[in-house]
Every structure is written in C-alpha cells, then in structure tokens.
Amino acid sequence: MTRNAFSANAEAALVSSPSSLHPGEIMLVGGEFPAIAYLRPGQPDKPLVVFFPGGGHLARIAYGHPGADPKHFIDFWLAEAGYGLLALSYPTDHPAFDRTYPKMTAGDWGRSFADITRTILDAIGPGRPVVFAGWSMGGRPIHAFNAAAEEAGLNVIGFISLAATAPLMNLGPGTTEAEAAAATDALLDYWTPTLEGPRPTREEKWQAEVARQGRLAGRPIMSAQEYRTHYAAAMPIRLRGAPLPPEYGNDWSMNVVLEDLGTFDYARFPLTGVIAPSDSADPRHALTDQMTWGFYNVQKLYCLWQALTHRTGPKDADAIWAYISDLAQRLPVQLFRRVTGGHFFFLGEPGARAAVTHLVELASELSVIRAELDALQGRM
C-alpha cells in the first residue's frame, strides 16, 4: 500500500511510518487512536475483510512477518479468493507507537477501526461490501464498529467470528482480577500475554498451540522468538472488556463495561457467522461459540420483528413472520463452521486455507440474508 493509493481524506489520516514497521505496513489514525495498518485491496467486486486481532497480539497474525511462508496465514488464501484484507493493530507497546494509550476501551477500538475503514474505502471504492472478522478478544468491539460503520453509511455484510469472544461477562472461568493486578505492577493499565497466571502462562500455552498448528501443517509456522518479536504485544487492559478490581478506581465497573461494549443493544449488532475450533485445547470457543453468537443473531431478528410490527399498515405480516421464524431456527446451523485445531486454528496452511474457505462461504450466506432482510423491510 502506497501513499498515492489514498484520497485526500486518507492522506489526512496517514501519520509517519516508523522503521519498526514491516514492509507494507503504515500508521493510520482513526478518531483519537493510531493503528498499524496493512492493506491488500483485492478485487474491487469482492468484499474487503477488516481484521480485528485478539488480546496481546498484532494483526500480523493474519498476514505474517518477513521471511514467513505466506501460505500459513489467511491473507494468502483471501487473495486467492479475490478478497481484500485490511488488518489493523490497535495501540500497544510496539515501538511503532510514539506513546501508550492506557485508557483506550473496546468501544474506542471499534469506533477507531470504523473510522479507518471509512477512510480506506474512500480511497479504494466507496460502497464496496465489508466483512469484518475478529479473532479471540476481537469480538469485544463489534457493536461499536458496526454502529459507527452504519452511521458512516458503510456497506457492512456482517461479522465473522474466528473463535471470537462475545461482549458478555463471565463466559467461563477467568483470571481477570489477578492479571489486572499484575498489569498494574508491570505496565500501567496494560496487559501482556507474558503475565504470570495459572501454569502455564498464557504465552507458553499460546506458543504450544502455534507449534501444534505447525505440526498439523507439516512444517513450522514461526519460532518462539519470531512470535515474541513480531506478534506478541502489551495492550490497554480495558480492551479486554471486563471489569477491573477496586485498585483501578470505580470508573471501570460492570455497568460501565456493559455500556461500553453495547452488550444488550441487540438491534445494533451485525448478523454473525461463526468459525470455531474443534479441539479441547480451546474448549470454551469449541463448545459455546455456535450458541453464544447464535443468541445475538436471534435477538437481532427479534428486534427486527418488533420494529416491523410497529410500522403502520403492515402487508404480508403472516408471510414475513414465517420467514423470520424459519430464519431464526436455521441460522445457528447455516452460519456455523468448524476447523481442526485450537485457538490458533487459522494458522498453518491447512487451517488458514480451511478458515478462508469457510469465511468466503459465510460471507456469501450473510450477503444473501442481508439482501432478503432489506427486501423484507421494504414490504412493510
């Protein structure tokens, strides 16, 4: 991606590109926050995938590092399908960022990425369909992103979860308070996967999962040192979308977090397709993602039905009810896929290829459903 690919609006969002960035990466600003941006536009008649990384990781997890085999990453297979990729890394302790952003929240994250996406689309094709995909903690900001994208008039097809965590509290046993306390001692209001927790540490567990994906691929994806150098990063702890212990003060309580995440604003959530791992190495996502995101899908449909029934002079109400009722029953299966592996199932050639195959299928499904729902609203 080069400067001359940008419109005047995009140029305004472009900041200096430090030498610590990889080739193809630049720094862009969305709202008040910078991001490391990687753009491969893809074919203009195909959707642009906007990628949200997980906790403690840069978005390079979607496109790799210099010297890596590109077939181990989803970017290669998205390119094969003609899809573009905009992969954005939120502010971390990476040296490309000139300062830290300790108070950044998940809501800030979503709005910032929506602003950057709008800027990019102004340059490469306004009106182009957008599919946004989140891995792990990348599910937390989707309400803010979707709401901001709708307000900006972006053509968002929907969201695709790659083992993404929904904006709900207490989905499983966690170590938030212990890790938050450790973060306070280490980096003010920051969280890192190297923090001590239940043995093994998060980094050790994740390193083992990356190595396993390499074994499934028949060749290594990255070394332990490459993982630490190119992918792992400390991040603003509020991006995790969880309350913080009292020593942080009272500004990040459960109620404040739920409002920031938009947890119960069901109508403003996107329809979501789910790609889940298969293995007990990631039991929560393997067992619960289908129904957790299915809950949000059916709540959105219910909100749509309520809105339709409050319009004056509904036509074909019985037929519309039959459609929505049927859709609610079949979406948990229709919008669900599984890939062999654990939390990093989309790494390694077999996993990356399978994940993109499913992503393209789900994007097509979401596009059809969205068109049907738009037509439905026009009938009432």
Side-chain angles (χ1 to χ4, degrees), residues 58-330:
L58 301 181
R60 292 168 180 170
I61 203 77
Y63 56 90
H65 64 276
D69 184 344
K71 292 182 179 179
H72 283 320
F73 301 88
I74 62 171
D75 182 45
F76 177 89
W77 302 102
L78 287 170
E80 290 285 295
Y83 278 45
L85 175 66
L86 174 61
L88 300 171
S89 298
Y90 50 75
T92 64
D93 65 343
H94 188 277
F97 297 99
D98 61 358
R99 67 181 181 88
T100 60
Y101 294 81
K103 303 299 184 183
M104 186 181 186
T105 72
D108 294 331
W109 177 12
R111 289 183 289 272
S112 174
F113 278 21
D115 191 39
I116 292 173
T117 301
R118 178 194 55 78
T119 298
I120 292 296
L121 289 173
D122 284 345
I124 68 172
R128 185 172 173 178
V130 170
V131 176
F132 61 116
W135 168 57
S136 192
M137 193 187 71
R140 293 303 208 191
I142 74 164
H143 172 271
F145 178 90
N146 194 61
E150 286 182 349
E151 290 168 5
L154 302 188
N155 182 16
V156 179
I157 294 173
F159 174 67
I160 295 178
S161 162
L162 303 171
T165 300
L168 292 165
M169 300 299 104
N170 302 322
L171 289 172
T175 56
T176 297
E177 289 195 9
E179 289 181 340
T184 304
D185 294 337
L187 287 162
L188 180 62
D189 290 331
Y190 263 56
W191 180 88
T192 170
T194 61
L195 287 175
E196 294 294 326
R199 295 293 188 264
T201 66
R202 282 182 183 264
E203 184 186 358
E204 289 167 343
K205 179 182 177 182
W206 289 344
Q207 289 268 20
E209 289 207 37
V210 172
R212 181 171 182 266
Q213 291 300 123
R215 291 193 295 273
L216 290 173
R219 58 193 188 281
I221 299 168
M222 65 186 75
S223 68
Q225 187 56 50
E226 286 171 332
Y227 173 83
R228 294 189 193 99
T229 300
H230 298 294
Y231 301 93
M235 66 177 209
I237 199 167
R238 286 164 178 77
L239 297 190
R240 298 184 72 197
L244 297 176
E247 54 263 37
Y248 277 74
N250 297 318
D251 67 325
W252 208 238
S253 65
M254 177 73 80
N255 289 340
V256 175
V257 173
L258 291 174
E259 182 177 356
D260 182 64
L261 297 176
T263 298
F264 305 121
D265 186 16
Y266 302 122
R268 301 300 297 275
F269 275 83
L271 283 176
T272 296
V274 178
I275 308 175
S278 64
D279 294 1
S280 61
D282 189 14
R284 176 164 64 83
H285 290 286
L287 292 177
T288 70
D289 278 3
Q290 181 179 19
M291 291 298 111
T292 300
W293 289 109
F295 166 79
Y296 272 98
N297 283 340
V298 75
Q299 291 295 333
K300 183 177 181 68
L301 290 179
Y302 177 66
C303 290
L304 174 61
W305 170 251
Q306 290 282 42
L308 291 174
T309 57
H310 282 85
R311 290 189 181 181
T312 303
K315 299 178 294 183
D316 304 322
D318 289 344
I320 291 172
W321 168 253
Y323 172 81
I324 289 180
S325 178
D326 175 69
L327 187 61
Q329 296 300 311
R330 58 185 166 89

